[in-house]
Amino acid sequence: MTEQGVRWTAEQVLALAPDAASRKAGSKLGTAGPWSGAGSGEGTVWGLCKGSGSKPYQTVVDLAGTAGPAYKCSCPSRKFPCKHALGLLLLWAEPGGEVAPVAEPPEWAEQWLSGRRGRAEGERAESGGSSATGSADPEAARRRAERRAERVTAGATELEQRLSDLLRAGLASAEQAGYGLWDETAARMVDAQAPGLAARVRELGAIPGSGPGWPARLLEECALLHLLDRGWLRRDRLPDELAATVRSRLGLPAPADGPPVRDRWLVLAQYDTVDPKLTTRRIWLHGAESGHTRLLLSYGAAGRAPELSLPVGLAVEADLTGFPGAGQARAALGERYAPPAPTGLRPPGVTTAEAAARYGEALCADPWLDSVPVTLDRVVPAPGPEPGSWQLADAEEDSALPVVAAAPSRAGLWRLVALSGGAPVKVFGECGHRGFTPLTAWPQGPGEPVTLC
Amino acid sequence: MNGSPAAGGAPAAASPWEDLVTTALLGTDRRPPAVAPGGQAPAALLDAAAVATVRRRAGLRPGRAAPRPEPAPRDPRPALPAAASRRLAILLADRPGGGGGGRRGSSPDLIELLPQWLAAAGAHGYAAPPQALPALLDAARGRTDLRPAALAFAGPRALWLARLNPDWRFALRSAPGGGATLPDPADGEAVRRLWEEGLFAERVALLAALRARTPAPARELLASTWPTERAEDRLMFLDSLRTGLSLEDEPFLEQALGDRSRNVRSTAAELLSTLPGSALAARMAVRAAACVALDRTGNSPTVVVEAPPECDPGMERDGVAAKPPTGRGERSWWLGQLVEAAPLGIWAGRLGGRTPEQIVGLPVADDWQAELHAAWCRAAVRQGDAVWSRALLGTPSAPEAGGPGAVSLAERAKLLGALEPEERAVWVAGFIATHGLSEAFQLLGVCAVPWAAPLGRSVVDALDIARDAGSYPWSFSGVMGLAERCLDPAEATRLEGLLTLPDEREDASPGAGGYWAEAFQRLTATLRLRAAMAAELRPETPSRPGSPLPSGPLQGYGG
């Protein structure tokens, strides 16, 4: 692989930034000014960055590691990657830029790199040799699982009771009770070690304030929660696959144990949802050969950025291992065979009718699914019938999917409209009962993907 | 999406789903459901609702497409090179004031480079990347100074987009040349209709566009409705006659001298006075000449001034304001206005066949010098007279050039505008070499970008001297900011020596050396960034950044 072949674009580099402030600080450092001794070779980039002190910071990035990019910088920042690493990568990403390919990294960079790679080799050898260590005491593990199942059962039973009480008194009473009722119930479900139930219960609290039609929406969600409870309480009578789905919906941990699928995985979208305690990053991947679309999840606690970052438009040759459960898109990233590299690959697309049908089919395996990943081919963004609403209309047919009202980013929606200019585009997103959430778009002609989230 | 009948628009009879919702809303205690009355009612209701919900969701189908927007007009300009496109995204992502004030650090101010980038991209004639249009429109919405360049670069698709989003309506109003709403100037019928029925802004845009192409018909159009226009509107319309002004406009302007509005009268007079061949200019020449004479009786010839004794109705009609601002004598106030409006060409004959330089050098009797020279300065600026401007500016190294002197810095800056860019740069370079940077800011603002080599060198040298003198760099932050935007990027290599941290001298302000090193780092970083920006915009494959820029495309800067 030539040096040019793996060079990223500036957007891809900036997608690694943990937050907007770092993105900004990093892009300011992406010019030759503060840098000296910058070089690159064999998937690594290094350089010295002049800071406010007298001694420049030593910055190294290892892009070739199988576990994703790794960074080392002598600056005191706790951001990860720090602005120096981002600036260095931007400098390196610049075509004809200042970072020259050099055969040998300098002493200080080499030390860290060889230490790191040696460690990685060691870990791989170890994990290959002793895969049985996980089940040190199978009897204890079984007892733990049993205890947890009992608590979840108690939680599910209690929730069923609360739902019954609610329906007996009427949903109108829920409107008066407000969030307090749901928050307390959610806390009970956390105690019952059923985080999936807790999350759903918490969402119920917002529905009575969500505008006209809320009773129907609240009934829908209560009914699905009830369905999940019943699924758990009668899991011994469910087919294995569906039982696994129920367990994962309840939030019970299960290792990704499917057979690893090696493919060139194209990064379709990456976006974060932030709540005060946890940042959740979703990365959608599309397998060039398998044709599968898979989801990687990565978490960052309290304001920290999730560690895994795969910029849109790159493809990574890697193993993905599926999580148990019918219709599960979620997978775990296994071994990577090469660092992510830019690609012109685009996922194949379908019509709006096929997209809606796909969601319907997916519900057979997992009735709790809110949406499925879909690429729409040749659709035109157009203002919808309601003021301020938008839809994606087939270029060749008279049908359209509504864009979800609360699209994750209004700015992204306008980028999509601007990119289209009234002409058909290819759009990847999530298609579900609330409508379509556009995440990434490709122009009709040649051109790089445009992120919308 | 349309659901099955169960959830979509309400059919006439209550559907089973609606029945479930009603029951749920009221509670099974009050309204026992049909499915299973009794103690199991809530569970049965939820069972039925779960089935109905999953069934509805699984059966969702796309809805009917609403009317699609008309496709955006084609943008015939070539696409922006990929690297430039990324640069634009980075510049647009930078928000002013995000850094939190205070020290500016060693990295470039990206948002300050946006005006320059837009000017360069516009000069190359590239089309804006479609996905950048929303950010471009948002930037133009927030900063009116960016609007003309941003909208011109954004092109027809941005106007198409602006019609879909009320936040961007401003683009439709302020589109260059009025945008798509302006009729073809050759279409007399459409022009007249817009002139008679259009909104004020549309009419101003129409008049400006017509005036730029065909000055005479534009003036006739204005004359046709002149008496019925409101005074403020007349003033704005009159102002647009500055473009393409000629003696042909004189009859119309003469007539406007009798306007009801004082502002309209004085603007008409000002326009006429910039036409040295006009009757008004001739009348002013007679009045001004009567006040200024040469006294040869003494040892050396001296200019003597006799200010006008009164402001007669004729003077007032020709735009002379009778009432002086507070604190000024009325006779000197009238004199200033007469000299300002008189053609500068008359003075050679009046003052013994001397050149402007010699005239400016003559002594003036009785403390009239400041008043007289200031009026000549205003006249030179108004008439765009390079010879007189040069004479009034004097040599930049003259001691009085740096002080408050007869001619203020603001007036000097205006006088410089009448000179050729090259000469302007050399003059300001000379000024800085003698007087340093503290007074130079205004003068630098009128110099062409990028700065010519002598000017750039003298600014860098002066900054170096300021550093050695031990002051803090933020005393020069205005000039530093200008240098970042205006210095020729080729100068970056000359700055290398300034980046290092010098040994702190005893008399220097504490830590100043470090701050200077940082300021110079930012300067070189910005210059390199500008070189890279220019290289990315070149049509062929971009070359290494850091190479000198062609001086052509980078004209003008904002802020």
Side-chain angles (χ1 to χ4, degrees), chain B residues 36 101 188 224 400 413 465 499:
Chain B
S224 69
E400 73 272 13
I465 290 166
L499 299 183

Side-chain angles (χ1 to χ4, degrees), chain B residues 66-379:
Chain B
R68 279 154 229 191
E70 286 286 306
R74 218 177 63 80
D75 193 336
R77 299 175 294 177
L80 196 63
S85 185
R86 281 176 215 129
R87 178 75 61 193
L88 174 64
I90 293 173
L91 294 182
L92 286 171
D94 198 48
R95 288 275 167 266
R103 248 172 81 196
R104 293 173 64 216
S106 61
S107 40
D109 267 334
L110 296 178
I111 195 79
E112 292 298 332
L113 297 177
L114 186 56
Q116 199 167 76
W117 191 95
L118 287 172
H124 279 287
Y126 289 121
Q131 66 271 23
L133 293 179
L136 209 50
L137 284 165
D138 282 341
R141 184 183 180 214
R143 282 181 61 177
T144 41
D145 60 317
L146 279 180
R147 274 186 197 176
L151 292 178
F153 173 61
R157 187 175 287 209
L159 296 183
W160 174 87
L161 202 58
R163 274 184 212 106
L164 295 168
N165 187 343
D167 286 352
W168 297 328
R169 283 281 148 77
F170 74 89
L172 302 175
R173 287 194 302 271
S174 50
T181 55
L182 272 198
D184 182 356
D187 184 352
E189 179 62 26
V191 164
R192 177 146 290 279
R193 192 165 53 243
L194 183 62
W195 179 250
E196 277 163 9
E197 295 164 16
L199 301 170
F200 174 65
E202 288 171 328
R203 301 178 69 209
V204 170
L206 175 69
L207 190 63
L210 283 180
R211 184 73 182 172
R213 286 155 165 263
T214 50
R219 185 194 59 241
E220 283 154 20
L221 189 67
L222 174 58
S224 69
T225 59
W226 181 256
T228 63
E229 307 289 357
R230 300 183 317 149
E232 310 92 277
D233 297 1
R234 286 203 301 280
L235 189 63
M236 284 294 287
F237 291 140
L238 197 58
D239 213 50
S240 56
L241 293 190
R242 279 180 207 281
T243 318
L245 189 69
S246 74
L247 272 179
E248 277 190 49
D249 301 317
E250 191 183 1
F252 178 76
L253 291 172
E254 272 286 341
Q255 183 207 324
L257 285 178
D259 198 88
R260 296 187 299 280
S261 151
R262 195 164 60 82
N263 286 334
V264 171
R265 288 200 301 274
S266 62
T267 301
E270 190 207 325
L271 288 174
L272 282 169
S273 71
T274 63
L275 295 168
S278 70
L280 177 130
R283 292 196 295 272
M284 286 307 211
V286 172
R287 290 181 187 123
C291 299
V292 180
L294 196 62
D295 176 8
R296 292 195 177 82
T297 55
N299 291 338
S300 60
T302 303
V303 177
V304 287
V305 174
E306 179 66 41
E310 58 163 355
C311 183
D312 58 47
M315 279 161 71
E316 274 204 71
R317 184 174 184 278
D318 284 347
V320 177
K323 196 171 153 36
T326 339
R328 288 206 58 176
E330 53 184 14
R331 291 184 62 196
S332 72
W333 169 246
W334 298 329
L335 172 83
Q337 295 180 77
L338 295 184
V339 174
E340 178 183 356
L344 284 162
I346 65 166
W347 300 111
R350 184 72 186 146
L351 302 171
R354 287 176 168 77
T355 65
E357 223 151 33
Q358 291 164 328
I359 291 174
V360 171
L362 285 171
V364 183
D366 300 332
D367 294 337
W368 278 108
Q369 176 167 6
E371 204 69 57
L372 184 61
H373 281 203
W376 276 336
C377 282
R378 295 196 298 275

Side-chain angles (χ1 to χ4, degrees), chain A residues 141-233:
Chain A
R142 199 185 56 75
R143 276 203 307 274
R144 269 202 308 277
E146 228 163 63
R147 271 204 305 278
R148 180 162 188 182
E150 279 164 23
R151 300 179 72 160
V152 173
T153 301
T157 313
E158 184 184 342
L159 184 55
E160 272 300 276
Q161 192 53 52
R162 292 202 176 206
L163 286 173
S164 285
D165 291 349
L166 176 67
L167 268 295
R168 206 167 278 128
L171 297 179
S173 66
E175 195 186 15
Q176 289 135 27
Y179 278 97
L181 168 75
W182 302 113
D183 276 350
E184 196 242 318
T185 312
R188 298 285 302 154
M189 294 306 114
V190 172
D191 292 345
Q193 294 189 317
L197 291 180
R200 283 183 168 267
V201 168
R202 217 171 284 123
E203 280 172 22
L204 290 183
I207 296 179
S210 68
W214 69 266
R217 284 194 293 280
L218 186 56
L219 178 58
E220 282 192 347
E221 293 307 322
C222 286
L224 289 175
L225 194 52
H226 164 75
L227 189 64
L228 190 54
D229 279 338
R230 305 298 279 212
W232 170 259
L233 297 172

Side-chain angles (χ1 to χ4, degrees), chain B residues 394-484:
Chain B
T395 48
S397 56
E400 73 272 13
V407 182
S408 73
L409 281 167
E411 272 163 349
R412 278 173 202 283
K414 286 189 203 153
L415 288 172
L416 281 169
L419 304 185
E420 288 298 307
E422 190 104 346
E423 191 183 356
R424 213 183 302 163
V426 171
W427 197 94
V428 178
F431 179 91
I432 291 171
T434 312
H435 305 287
L437 288 172
S438 43
E439 307 287 347
F441 184 75
Q442 252 179 331
L443 304 179
L444 286 170
V446 297
C447 292
V449 178
W451 288 340
L455 178 58
R457 231 162 274 150
S458 105
V459 171
V460 172
D461 289 348
L463 286 171
D464 196 15
I465 290 166
R467 181 181 65 154
D468 287 348
S471 47
Y472 283 117
W474 39 86
S475 314
F476 299 91
S477 58
V479 172
M480 264 296 185
L482 269 184
E484 285 160 18

Side-chain angles (χ1 to χ4, degrees), chain A residues 56-390:
Chain A
Y57 296 127
Q58 301 174 334
T59 312
V60 204
V61 182
D62 181 4
L63 293 161
T66 51
Y71 320 90
K72 166 81 181 156
C73 183
S74 59
C75 77
S77 167
R78 287 175 192 208
K79 298 271 178 73
F80 199 75
C82 67
K83 61 180 178 176
H84 305 102
L86 289 171
L88 179 63
L89 284 176
L90 282 174
L91 195 65
W92 164 77
E94 198 137 308
E98 301 275 332
V99 180
V102 179
E104 286 287 309
E107 173 79 36
W108 54 267
E110 177 56 38
Q111 248 174 18
W112 176 74
L113 285 168
S114 56
R116 202 185 112 68
R117 290 194 176 158
R119 222 164 32 245
E121 287 298 318
E123 272 165 22
R124 202 175 307 167
E126 211 167 90
S127 66
S130 55
S131 57
T133 46
S135 48
D137 186 349
E139 182 55 24
R142 199 185 56 75
R143 276 203 307 274
R144 269 202 308 277
E146 228 163 63
R147 271 204 305 278
R148 180 162 188 182
E150 279 164 23
R151 300 179 72 160
V152 173
T153 301
T157 313
E158 184 184 342
L159 184 55
E160 272 300 276
Q161 192 53 52
R162 292 202 176 206
L163 286 173
S164 285
D165 291 349
L166 176 67
L167 268 295
R168 206 167 278 128
L171 297 179
S173 66
E175 195 186 15
Q176 289 135 27
Y179 278 97
L181 168 75
W182 302 113
D183 276 350
E184 196 242 318
T185 312
R188 298 285 302 154
M189 294 306 114
V190 172
D191 292 345
Q193 294 189 317
L197 291 180
R200 283 183 168 267
V201 168
R202 217 171 284 123
E203 280 172 22
L204 290 183
I207 296 179
S210 68
W214 69 266
R217 284 194 293 280
L218 186 56
L219 178 58
E220 282 192 347
E221 293 307 322
C222 286
L224 289 175
L225 194 52
H226 164 75
L227 189 64
L228 190 54
D229 279 338
R230 305 298 279 212
W232 170 259
L233 297 172
R234 299 190 196 165
R235 61 193 181 281
D236 50 337
R237 275 182 267 167
L238 295 181
D240 286 351
E241 284 278 280
L242 190 56
T245 303
V246 168
R247 271 195 294 274
S248 94
R249 286 283 166 198
L250 277 163
L252 296 186
D257 59 358
V261 178
R262 179 172 171 166
D263 204 336
R264 274 182 68 216
W265 295 99
L266 165 67
V267 185
L268 291 176
Q270 163 173 321
Y271 67 99
D272 294 352
T273 43
V274 183
D275 74 44
K277 288 195 191 129
L278 190 71
T279 301
T280 308
R281 176 166 293 169
R282 289 180 170 76
I283 301 175
W284 284 111
L285 299 172
H286 174 80
E289 266 134 62
S290 63
H292 295 167
T293 304
R294 290 287 175 262
L295 177 67
L296 299 179
L297 289 180
S298 177
Y299 300 98
R304 290 195 58 141
E307 207 161 296
L308 182 64
S309 180
L310 290 171
V312 172
L314 297 185
V316 55
E317 173 98 33
D319 284 338
L320 286 194
T321 312
F323 278 87
Q328 270 275 6
R330 192 181 164 196
L333 187 58
E335 183 158 358
R336 299 200 213 180
Y337 300 96
T343 174
L345 205 66
R346 295 180 181 188
V350 298
T351 64
T352 56
E354 285 166 314
R358 250 187 220 187
Y359 174 59
E361 284 156 22
L363 284 177
C364 301
D366 180 354
W368 299 278
L369 256 189
D370 277 327
S371 62
V372 292
V374 175
T375 304
L376 294 175
D377 216 359
R378 295 186 58 73
V379 284
V380 182
E386 311 293 329
S389 72
W390 284 82

